[in-house]
Amino acid sequence: MTEDRGPEDAGATVVHPIEQESYRILAQRLDLSGRGPGPATVVARIVHATAEPELAGSVVVDEVAVAAGVAALRGGAPIICDVEMVRSGISAPDARCLLGEVPVAPPAGTRSAAAMELAAERHPEGAVFVVGCAPTALEALNRRIEDGRLRPALVVGTPVGFVGAEASKERLLRVAGTAGVPVIALRGERGGAAVAAAAVNALGRLAGGRTHPRTVGRVADAGGPPAPAMVLIGHGTRSVQGEAELRAFCRLVAAARPEVPVSEGFIEFMAPTLPEALEAAAGPGTGAGHSVIAVPLVLLGAGHMKDDGPVALAHARARHPGVTFSYGRDLGVHPTVLEVVAQRVVEAVAHRPVDAVVLVGRGSSDPDANADLVKAARLLADGRRLTSPRPPAGPLDRPGAGLDRPGGGPVAEPPGPPLGMVEACFVSLAAPDVAGALTRCRLLGARRILVVPYFLFAGLLVDRISDQAHAWAAAHDDTEVVVGGHMGVDPRLVELVWHRYDEVAGGPVHMNCDGCLHRTPLPGYESRVGVAPPTATSRTSRTSRTR
């Protein structure tokens, strides 16, 4: 549909001069600089399709939803529409509507809702659902998402009307947020088929019919060996929200490269277990040449990374000697991880700066992992301007102060990057704890402090961080504490996971073991050198109440 194509697509198709002029006018009337590139593209198409710039502020779309939609369309996911008007406006050839299969409305229901129920039964996972007209159809999806019967790749919810439209969209945002389902929505009573079709067509143009850039190393080329399978290693959690986010993240990873078989296995609390996932990835009757790459969804390399993963892989190798099992690195203190955390800080303090940031990790009995969190805190503090500006430096605080050249006079050194107050601490197993870090920041003069969980997904420990921060704040009336968000389902982290996979596919990967307590006699941990690590069972007994 040419009416939904922006001038940036001119390299792919010929854009009519009228359309170019339309987007030029749109750019003059609407500032989308505050949106990311993906969301800005979606919003621009919606405004172009409706000629209503004021709609832009009501569009709910983020990079996660855009990435999920693009990945789903590239992977050939079905697109299910509530009415034919929406379907006819979507350029993708596999858009469909089941309204024709419901000739009569059920008692106390509508045809569109019944058709959506039928579509949800046929496509319980991985489809793109688009509701542009019927609030009852969106409510049918809401119910199924809420009770766990539906796991869409994306829901586009823009029904229009005075009865039920606004409420159904608000409920979608609530239930999808809890379930970890990506959403594009238009708040309020306005909406319609043109809005829904514009959103989907924007994703289609971003997808461009292209697959993810090819991986390096041992990846399938035409006529070559198949790409190694990927097994994502997750810890697992008892948290409903945490499980939803973890599984949504795994779906996004799989959708990004549909040519690679992707599965996931969990160390505890969730199914399938890691040994079961490795067994399934090896496949029955596979011979020499088959490869499996395991990538841990771990931020810091502690016991689960160093012990549980290698043990499971060793058992898999023993059971399948003809299969090559390889192990990727932890996500680590990578610039991408720091970028996501920094964005969570900016989101939390968008309207009012803070004096200090407290970065809270899980905590471990492994000093190497704990040290990496301190390194992450320093890298976030150095040059990112995440906290309020520090007071002007005194004469003894300037770089080079007190030092003299051989000929006399102070050394002229340029000032370094601004260093904010970012303190590292731990919610369990290691010190300092949350209260200790907050107290330190207060003693250093901070009166507005942001607490940020250094966690990928929601969970009981993330909830505990919030509880401890608020409990400390209640006891210190002179200090305000704000709790920020964890990293969550972010497309940048999806890219990092594939980067870890590509590292292994391109050659052997070795961890940095300089600080490993099993190999290096670290002060206070000398007795751990060469000692077998605790079993997964014993570790689970210590942590079963914390996830």
Side-chain angles (χ1 to χ4, degrees), residues 471-492:
W472 184 93
H476 298 82
D477 295 337
D478 62 342
T479 306
E480 181 182 359
V481 175
V482 181
V483 179
H486 57 280
M487 297 179 209
V489 183
D490 193 291
R492 291 167 292 186

Side-chain angles (χ1 to χ4, degrees), residues 449-469:
I449 307 171
L450 172 65
V451 175
V452 179
Y454 197 77
F455 282 72
L456 286 172
F457 309 114
L460 301 184
L461 286 179
V462 174
D463 295 340
R464 184 186 298 175
I465 291 169
S466 179
D467 293 342
Q468 292 178 356

Side-chain angles (χ1 to χ4, degrees), residues 167-416:
S168 67
K169 288 180 279 191
E170 291 300 323
R171 185 181 176 198
L172 170 66
L173 294 173
R174 290 195 302 273
V175 301
T178 300
V181 173
V183 166
I184 297 175
L186 181 69
R187 282 194 145 114
E189 297 171 335
R190 291 184 292 181
V195 175
V200 177
N201 288 336
L203 299 175
R205 296 304 302 175
L206 289 171
R210 298 180 297 273
T211 58
H212 192 282
R214 69 175 181 86
T215 55
V216 300
R218 297 170 292 168
V219 179
D221 295 316
M230 177 198 277
V231 173
L232 297 167
I233 303 177
H235 180 276
T237 178
R238 296 185 187 277
S239 163
V240 174
Q241 181 184 352
E243 179 176 352
E245 289 182 357
L246 178 49
R247 293 195 186 276
F249 185 83
C250 292
R251 290 197 300 272
L252 276 186
V253 172
R257 297 192 189 179
E259 71 275 14
V260 178
V262 178
S263 57
E264 61 269 5
F266 305 99
I267 295 172
E268 55 185 342
F269 303 136
M270 291 168 56
T273 66
L274 178 54
E276 290 169 345
L278 292 171
E279 185 74 17
T286 53
H290 184 61
S291 299
V292 176
I293 295 175
V295 179
L297 300 180
V298 173
L299 289 171
L300 304 172
H304 293 306
M305 169 73 191
K306 296 176 181 177
D307 305 331
D308 296 325
V311 167
L313 287 170
H315 290 165
R317 293 186 188 104
R319 289 180 56 83
H320 300 276
V323 178
T324 300
F325 290 90
S326 303
Y327 197 28
R329 287 196 290 161
D330 56 325
L331 300 185
V333 187
H334 190 277
T336 296
V337 174
L338 299 178
E339 178 186 340
V340 174
V341 176
Q343 182 175 332
R344 298 296 173 265
V345 173
V346 171
E347 291 168 349
V349 300
H351 303 294
R352 187 180 171 195
V354 293
D355 304 317
V357 173
V358 170
L359 189 69
V360 190
R362 181 189 183 277
S364 170
S365 59
D366 188 320
D368 192 24
N370 295 334
D372 276 345
L373 181 72
V374 177
K375 179 179 179 180
R378 170 70 194 215
L379 290 172
L380 287 168
D382 212 340
R384 291 178 183 265
R385 302 179 185 274
L386 297 180
T387 60
S388 302
R390 302 184 73 188
L396 296 180
D397 297 324
R398 291 192 300 270
L403 302 177
D404 294 325
R405 293 193 186 94
V411 176
E413 293 183 4

Side-chain angles (χ1 to χ4, degrees), residues 27-221:
Q28 290 179 337
R29 298 186 182 183
L30 184 63
D31 180 11
L32 295 176
S33 61
R35 301 261 191 173
T41 300
V42 173
V43 174
R45 275 162 174 69
I46 289 174
V47 172
H48 180 263
T50 60
E52 294 187 72
E54 63 272 17
L55 287 183
S58 300
V59 179
V60 178
V61 57
D62 57 19
E63 292 287 4
V64 172
V66 172
V70 168
L73 296 185
R74 285 180 176 175
I79 303 171
I80 311 298
C81 306
D82 61 332
V83 297
E84 285 292 336
M85 187 182 299
V86 174
R87 185 201 62 77
S88 63
I90 294 175
S91 301
D94 53 354
R96 63 197 74 169
C97 174
L98 274 58
L99 199 59
E101 299 187 30
V102 185
V104 179
T110 66
R111 290 179 61 217
S112 56
M116 198 56 72
E117 291 277 6
L118 181 61
E121 290 177 2
R122 293 181 182 176
H123 305 281
E125 186 166 346
V128 175
F129 287 87
V130 187
V131 179
C133 293
T136 56
L138 188 56
E139 283 292 359
L141 296 180
N142 289 340
R143 289 191 294 271
R144 285 181 172 265
I145 294 171
E146 191 168 33
D147 63 21
R149 291 179 294 160
L150 181 64
R151 305 288 305 185
L154 174 72
V155 176
V156 177
T158 66
V160 60
F162 297 119
V163 179
E166 182 174 13
S168 67
K169 288 180 279 191
E170 291 300 323
R171 185 181 176 198
L172 170 66
L173 294 173
R174 290 195 302 273
V175 301
T178 300
V181 173
V183 166
I184 297 175
L186 181 69
R187 282 194 145 114
E189 297 171 335
R190 291 184 292 181
V195 175
V200 177
N201 288 336
L203 299 175
R205 296 304 302 175
L206 289 171
R210 298 180 297 273
T211 58
H212 192 282
R214 69 175 181 86
T215 55
V216 300
R218 297 170 292 168
V219 179
D221 295 316

Side-chain angles (χ1 to χ4, degrees), residues 432-449:
D433 59 10
V434 175
L438 287 169
T439 298
R440 173 176 167 81
C441 291
R442 177 175 175 272
L443 292 174
L444 290 172
R447 289 298 177 266
R448 190 167 194 265
I449 307 171

